[in-house]
Amino acid sequence: LTRCPLVLRLQTLHREIGEVIRRLHPDEVAVESVFSAVSAGAALTLGHARGAVLVAAADLPVAEYSPRSVKQALTGYGAAGKGSVAVMVARRLGMADPPASEDASDALAVAICHLDARRAKARLARATQGRSG
């Protein structure tokens, strides 16, 4: 698929994300926010891919996390390398080995970061609610 024209890859991404959303009925979506890539071309391609995902998830609330905040949430260090993040993803999910692809590891890291953020927000709301009554 990486040798296909960009527009075909984006269509595939949009269609497959849409299928996952229809099949699993998530309540919300979490994505990594835009960041500066190695090159302008890579940043543009990543931006297009991110846009395809956001359009597929248009009817759902979307949470965005910076790459630094995802790394911080998973490893405790916002400038951690991809290998460290992959190891922590595997550890958190009880996997014997880290995910085989960096893309899968990154996606799982964003999901874990979002889950942790939602849990912390819920704990804070419960604690605050207990004080206001």
Side-chain angles (χ1 to χ4, degrees), residues 1 5 12 32 39 41 46-48 51 54 57-59 64-65 67 73-75 79 88 102 112 114 116 121-122 131:
L1 190 62
T12 300
E32 205 168 56
S39 70
L46 289 170
H48 287 317
L54 293 174
D59 295 330
E64 297 183 65
Y65 300 93
L74 269 286
T75 69
M88 289 307 296
E102 283 185 358
I112 293 167
H114 182 61
D116 289 349
K121 186 177 179 180
R131 290 185 200 153

Side-chain angles (χ1 to χ4, degrees), residues 13-61:
L13 178 61
H14 179 266
R15 182 182 64 251
E16 290 183 5
I17 292 294
E19 288 172 5
V20 168
I21 289 171
R22 282 187 292 282
R23 189 175 72 245
L24 299 177
H25 307 287
D27 295 325
E28 53 200 358
V29 174
V31 296
E32 205 168 56
S33 61
V34 176
F35 64 99
S36 56
V38 175
S39 70
L44 188 58
T45 300
L46 289 170
H48 287 317
R50 189 173 173 280
V53 170
L54 293 174
V55 170
D59 295 330
L60 296 169

